[in-house]
Amino acid sequence: MKQTIITLGIILCVLNLLVGLILSAYGWQNVVCSTMAVIVTTAFSLMGISTSIKDGFKLGLLLLFSVVGLIQFLLAALMPSTFTDNWCLIAILVLLVVEIAIFIITKKVSTAIK
């Protein structure tokens, strides 16, 4: 499973970079942010299945991180190229903080369950 997640992450990053090179409307800021969204989603998915939490939590975290990662990718791909007053970038950062909080809470709850 880990190898599959890593392979998919690499394929999506390469595809995103190629699309960024081909399309002129897809700015470098969008390419960088969307690539970071793929990398962060891959990292969180790997952490979710690699930690010592209950199996039910692992599946739920993998699904949650995949959906949130897709939302972050779409926001990054469609965000304006300005850095200031960029609500999409703020939404991506808020989603990242929510992912971190959910991961920490899930790890604590899973270890508390006997």
Side-chain angles (χ1 to χ4, degrees), residues 15-62:
L15 178 65
N16 186 47
L17 292 172
L18 288 174
V19 170
L21 290 173
I22 294 170
L23 294 177
S24 63
Y26 196 41
W28 67 269
Q29 299 93 340
N30 300 83
V31 172
V32 169
C33 284
S34 57
T35 303
M36 290 305 296
V38 171
I39 291 170
V40 166
T41 300
T42 303
F44 273 126
S45 297
L46 285 173
M47 286 186 337
I49 65 168
S50 298
T51 58
S52 59
I53 58 175
K54 307 283 184 199
D55 289 336
F57 287 111
K58 288 182 182 183
L59 181 63
L61 281 178
L62 183 62

Side-chain angles (χ1 to χ4, degrees), residues 5-105:
I5 291 172
I6 292 170
T7 305
L8 282 174
I10 291 171
I11 289 171
L12 290 174
C13 283
V14 169
L15 178 65
N16 186 47
L17 292 172
L18 288 174
V19 170
L21 290 173
I22 294 170
L23 294 177
S24 63
Y26 196 41
W28 67 269
Q29 299 93 340
N30 300 83
V31 172
V32 169
C33 284
S34 57
T35 303
M36 290 305 296
V38 171
I39 291 170
V40 166
T41 300
T42 303
F44 273 126
S45 297
L46 285 173
M47 286 186 337
I49 65 168
S50 298
T51 58
S52 59
I53 58 175
K54 307 283 184 199
D55 289 336
F57 287 111
K58 288 182 182 183
L59 181 63
L61 281 178
L62 183 62
L63 181 64
L64 178 73
F65 291 155
S66 298
V67 169
V68 172
L70 178 65
I71 294 168
Q72 287 175 331
F73 178 82
L74 291 174
L75 284 171
L78 300 174
M79 74 178 188
S81 24
T82 60
F83 188 72
T84 57
D85 298 329
N86 193 337
W87 288 101
C88 289
L89 186 58
I90 293 170
I92 291 168
L93 294 174
V94 167
L95 285 172
L96 179 63
V97 170
V98 168
E99 279 181 317
I100 293 169
I102 288 174
F103 181 74
I104 292 170
I105 291 168

